Amino acid sequence: MGEFKVHCVRFFDYVPSGVRCMAFAEDTNKLALARNDGSVEVFSFSSFYYQEKVIPGDESRSIESICWAAGNRLFTAGLNGEIIEYDLEKLCVKYTLDAYGGPIWNIAANACSTHLAVSCEDGSVKLFSITTDHIKFERNLDRQKGRLLCVAWHPLGTHIVTGSVNKIQVFKASSGHLEHVLKLDSRPLAGQRRECVVWSVAVLSNGDIISVDSSGKLQFWDLEKGTLIHTHSVANCDILSLAVSKAEDSLVVGTAEGVVFQFQHIASKAGECERQWVRTKPFRYHTHDVRAVAHSSTAIISGGVEGHLVIRSLMEKIEVKSYEAALRKITFPHYHLVSSAQKAGQLLFQFPEHLELWQLGNTDISDGDVLPVKKKQELILKLKRKGSESIRCSSVSHCGSWICYATSSQLYLYRLQYEKESVSLSRVHKLPQLPSAALKLLFSPNSKRLYVGSEGGCVHVMEISDGTCKLGPTLQPPSESTNRSLSSVHLMAASMNGSYLAVAAPSSQIDVYNTQLMKLMEFNIAQRQYTEWGRRVLKNGLHRDWLERDTPILDICFNPSRPEDILMHDNYMFCVLDKSLPLPDDKTPLLNQITIKHLSESEQKSRAHAFKITKRFQPLMFMDLLSNGDLVLVERPFSDIVANLPPPMKQKKFGT
């Protein structure tokens, strides 16, 4: 297996932005969520919950609500009063439209995706018609007094329901006139007048209105009569979010205490036709407010202020109890926030608003499990972004002399010069104008080229030297194999000798220009075919436990000193795959390192297989081999993240 001198890095102060809102599209099986920093993410549930798209945030953009419409069109609205549609191919804002109603609290599309409704601070509900490539203002509903915090459509599109302070309003969609005002209980509590804030509403096909509010109640109302049907006292805190399954047989609510509750529409007694809503399951996977929930046909989805995205499968909806049945808690992004200068022994950390360049520590001791540090890590540089746009991607050259980063609209390149104990930084101005935005960045191993991945699978090659930058050739995939909606550059990797570049797209297309992609499936570039080992994997498959891991492989590289070794990791394990050993079958324990360690040498050899896995380092965000053979592992313990969050709601415990 080989041994490494490991730099265990824990000084990357990454804290995920809290989940603000989310929307699930049943027809495409995709989840869209927005975070407090204004970023938008799309997860493909069909591809093992992979985070396939990320649109970076902007300080000027505040998102309160998100919705899908017309298939694969994504809209958000927020407190800046604008409606935004996103370009999911270019991964940027397509256009913005001012609703002229002040801050927007909620946005919702009708079931047939012909209209959007937004609820505004000025008490108005505004309707927009959805056209082929834009939206168009149509009309206002009857203006109300006070802000409207939430909005929902009747599944047939006949009515629009809104929630505000102490009231629920029911509008006729065709005329825009107010039909009913449903008043909530706001009786004085402990001598003070209490306001009841309706945080979310939903409308069922049978005309029932569902509301959740700041008093901790889940309530059902009759739309036609405007009367209260039933009340569930769920929590002693705000219920902040609500979602109903497409079949309308289950709903989920999220609370300010971090608890998610499921209610199911079931028969009160066996054999009876009459059904009622019954609280069935509480889930406690969050430490802070659950601001967003969604409901797929097989799972409950929730997002919290602490940044967790939790996917809890409903076992009664899963036919085969396998990978899909497992609980998923996604905290870390499925893309790189760290890059390394292998020759210089440096790490570049990416934050939304700045970059940090660190020099790794070193030791003069070579033997031992834990080596004393002779020189500690040192912060070399903190580079703040320009403008209000969050940083999308970044990279540092192998020699540590170049840093680049990109936002949604701009590319920035800087040169670093080292003189004894000081570092000078100079920006390279007059960069070549690129036809499209940068999605991925990578320096060549000799630090003389910058590869800029963009939409359509194109890679722009930029030649850099002596503080200048010139645009070289553009590498493009074959036109007949390009699906533009799926071919944006997603991953790039360069070979150590700099002679090959591999580019991957979300469609699983891989174009090799001058490197081989560091991926589990090998490809022989010279012979243009899979290697013998790669064909064996294709034929026999991989171990069941390997395929059912929680998170995707985030980094992969070869060990120059031992070519048969492949190093890789996900968030929860580090693995050295030894191609000289046999692949394990499903009956062989995959994690058997501790077991075979206590066996005799002959038994160890008989039970050894290709996968050498350790879970000692986690959660892992990055891995790389430095030029001197040292291994760098960047960890971010959950406890460190929680320490940077505001305190959760204080809950009184029994006996205290």
Side-chain angles (χ1 to χ4, degrees):
M1 178 177 174
E3 293 184 352
F4 301 96
K5 184 187 293 183
V6 180
H7 295 262
C8 185
V9 175
R10 288 191 173 185
F11 47 87
F12 179 27
D13 294 330
Y14 168 77
V15 178
S17 182
V19 177
R20 187 66 190 85
C21 50
M22 63 174 63
F24 183 77
E26 199 78 47
D27 51 346
T28 60
N29 211 25
K30 292 184 178 182
L31 176 79
L33 68 81
R35 296 186 181 270
N36 291 334
D37 63 0
S39 61
V40 173
E41 303 167 7
V42 177
F43 292 81
S44 175
F45 279 34
S46 301
S47 301
F48 305 108
Y49 312 103
Y50 189 67
Q51 185 186 46
E52 65 176 21
K53 299 179 188 295
V54 178
I55 300 172
D58 191 308
E59 272 187 359
S60 63
R61 188 163 68 233
S62 168
I63 299 177
E64 285 292 316
S65 183
I66 190 168
C67 75
W68 293 98
N72 202 33
R73 294 176 66 177
L74 186 62
F75 297 88
T76 64
L79 299 184
N80 59 359
E82 294 178 338
I83 301 171
I84 300 175
E85 182 173 5
Y86 295 88
D87 189 322
L88 297 180
E89 297 176 15
K90 299 180 180 179
L91 302 182
C92 63
V93 172
K94 185 177 181 180
Y95 63 84
T96 63
L97 184 67
D98 197 321
Y100 294 102
I104 300 174
W105 290 98
N106 206 214
I107 185 171
N110 60 356
C112 54
S113 290
T114 59
H115 288 82
L116 292 173
V118 296
S119 57
C120 303
E121 176 77 11
D122 67 355
S124 66
V125 176
K126 299 178 182 294
L127 294 187
F128 294 82
S129 58
I130 302 174
T131 61
T132 304
D133 57 357
H134 216 274
I135 60 173
K136 183 180 179 182
F137 174 74
E138 193 167 285
R139 58 192 169 89
N140 289 317
L141 306 190
D142 288 348
R143 177 75 62 88
Q144 303 301 299
K145 187 176 181 180
R147 65 181 59 155
L148 302 180
L149 296 169
C150 50
V151 63
W153 290 80
H154 189 288
L156 298 178
T158 56
H159 292 82
I160 296 173
V161 177
T162 63
S164 58
V165 178
N166 297 329
K167 292 182 291 186
I168 296 171
Q169 297 88 358
V170 180
F171 299 88
K172 189 75 172 179
S174 57
S175 65
H177 295 319
L178 182 68
E179 282 198 347
H180 298 295
V181 175
L182 315 179
K183 295 185 178 182
L184 279 72
D185 181 11
S186 59
R187 289 175 293 179
L189 183 67
Q192 297 180 349
R193 182 167 179 78
R194 180 182 55 161
E195 286 189 338
C196 189
V197 180
V198 179
W199 288 119
S200 186
V201 291
V203 188
L204 303 181
S205 300
N206 65 359
D208 286 358
I209 298 171
I210 309 173
S211 68
V212 294
D213 56 51
S214 59
S215 68
K217 293 178 182 177
L218 168 71
Q219 295 186 305
F220 293 82
W221 308 78
D222 188 301
L223 182 146
E224 294 296 333
K225 298 178 181 178
T227 56
L228 179 64
I229 300 173
H230 191 74
T231 297
H232 294 271
S233 294
V234 180
N236 295 320
C237 63
D238 292 49
I239 302 179
L240 300 169
S241 48
L242 164 69
V244 182
S245 66
K246 188 175 182 180
E248 298 184 353
D249 59 353
S250 174
L251 66 85
V252 58
V253 298
T255 71
E257 291 178 341
V259 184
V260 174
F261 294 94
Q262 183 194 11
F263 286 75
Q264 290 179 283
H265 200 218
I266 58 178
S268 54
K269 293 183 180 179
E272 290 189 359
C273 296
E274 184 179 350
R275 292 175 175 269
Q276 60 183 2
W277 288 97
V278 178
R279 184 168 69 181
T280 53
K281 299 171 186 175
F283 303 112
R284 302 176 185 272
Y285 302 123
H286 298 276
T287 59
H288 290 65
D289 297 11
V290 180
R291 302 297 298 268
V293 291
H295 206 315
S296 74
S297 59
T298 59
I300 287 171
I301 310 152
S302 56
V305 170
E306 78 287 326
H308 295 321
L309 170 64
V310 178
I311 303 160
R312 176 65 168 84
S313 296
L314 301 174
M315 301 304 292
E316 67 273 14
K317 302 288 186 179
I318 303 294
E319 295 182 2
V320 180
K321 305 299 188 288
S322 62
Y323 179 85
E324 291 185 355
L327 172 73
R328 296 287 175 268
K329 181 181 284 189
I330 301 172
T331 305
F332 302 97
H334 293 168
Y335 60 94
H336 286 158
L337 295 176
V338 183
S339 57
S340 65
Q342 292 96 328
K343 294 179 182 177
Q346 298 169 348
L347 294 179
L348 182 68
F349 297 150
Q350 176 185 317
F351 299 87
E353 68 286 342
H354 73 275
L355 301 173
E356 292 180 2
L357 183 65
W358 288 78
Q359 182 71 49
L360 290 171
N362 59 49
T363 180
D364 53 3
I365 306 297
S366 57
D367 295 326
D369 291 334
V370 180
L371 305 181
V373 176
K374 180 181 179 181
K375 184 179 180 181
K376 291 186 177 182
Q377 72 274 5
E378 180 184 0
L379 177 61
I380 301 173
L381 176 72
K382 183 174 181 179
L383 178 61
K384 294 185 178 180
R385 71 179 182 210
K386 303 289 185 181
S388 63
E389 294 179 329
S390 295
I391 298 173
R392 182 203 296 276
C393 53
S394 60
S395 184
V396 60
S397 65
H398 288 218
C399 63
S401 296
W402 299 92
I403 288 177
C404 66
Y405 76 88
T407 64
S408 294
S409 61
Q410 293 289 329
L411 177 65
Y412 299 88
L413 178 64
Y414 293 85
R415 186 183 185 187
L416 286 82
Q417 293 179 302
Y418 301 86
E419 297 179 4
K420 295 182 180 179
E421 298 298 322
S422 64
V423 179
S424 62
L425 180 73
S426 59
R427 180 181 171 185
V428 179
H429 295 278
K430 298 181 180 180
L431 291 179
Q433 188 68 34
L434 299 178
S436 55
L439 302 179
K440 294 293 176 183
L441 299 169
L442 179 70
F443 284 97
S444 62
N446 63 7
S447 303
K448 293 182 179 180
R449 285 182 172 180
L450 172 62
Y451 300 114
V452 182
S454 63
E455 61 177 291
C458 297
V459 178
H460 307 290
V461 181
M462 305 181 78
E463 309 285 348
I464 52 178
S465 64
D466 298 327
T468 63
C469 180
K470 296 180 180 180
L471 183 61
T474 296
L475 307 176
Q476 294 181 308
S479 57
E480 65 274 8
S481 65
T482 302
N483 180 346
R484 292 190 65 85
S485 64
L486 295 173
S487 61
S488 297
V489 173
H490 182 61
L491 296 169
M492 292 193 295
S495 61
M496 285 178 284
N497 62 8
S499 58
Y500 294 104
L501 177 72
V503 181
S507 60
S508 299
Q509 176 178 321
I510 299 173
D511 299 304
V512 179
Y513 298 105
N514 55 358
T515 194
Q516 71 182 76
L517 181 65
M518 306 303 183
K519 190 179 179 183
L520 191 60
M521 301 306 299
E522 289 189 325
F523 191 82
N524 189 308
I525 296 175
Q527 300 179 13
R528 295 189 177 184
Q529 63 183 11
Y530 291 113
T531 63
E532 181 182 348
W533 184 85
R535 287 196 299 270
R536 192 163 67 248
V537 170
L538 282 172
K539 180 180 178 180
N540 300 326
L542 293 169
H543 196 282
R544 180 186 64 247
D545 292 344
W546 178 266
L547 297 175
E548 294 183 357
R549 296 184 334 276
D550 283 354
T551 59
I553 294 295
L554 299 174
D555 289 292
I556 185 166
C557 65
F558 291 99
N559 183 0
S561 63
R562 201 169 186 274
E564 60 267 32
D565 285 352
I566 303 176
L567 280 61
M568 65 189 79
H569 80 94
D570 61 19
N571 284 144
Y572 303 110
M573 67 89 197
F574 171 73
C575 174
V576 177
L577 196 156
D578 187 344
K579 294 187 296 177
S580 66
L581 294 176
L583 292 168
D585 56 30
D586 286 346
K587 296 180 181 178
T588 303
L590 187 64
L591 299 172
N592 67 351
Q593 303 306 302
I594 297 178
T595 303
I596 65 175
K597 185 178 181 180
H598 303 289
L599 301 177
S600 65
E601 186 175 345
S602 59
E603 286 181 309
Q604 287 183 18
K605 290 182 178 180
S606 65
R607 298 193 185 188
H609 58 69
F611 289 90
K612 313 298 181 184
I613 298 173
T614 177
K615 294 193 174 185
R616 176 182 176 183
F617 311 99
Q618 60 171 287
L620 273 175
M621 296 189 67
F622 179 77
M623 172 210 72
D624 202 3
L625 277 175
L626 301 181
S627 297
N628 62 3
D630 290 1
L631 178 65
V632 177
L633 298 175
V634 178
E635 295 180 279
R636 186 56 173 158
F638 289 118
S639 57
D640 292 351
I641 294 177
V642 174
N644 284 275
L645 296 173
M649 172 174 283
K650 195 171 184 179
Q651 301 180 39
K652 185 173 177 59
K653 304 295 184 181
F654 179 75
T656 62

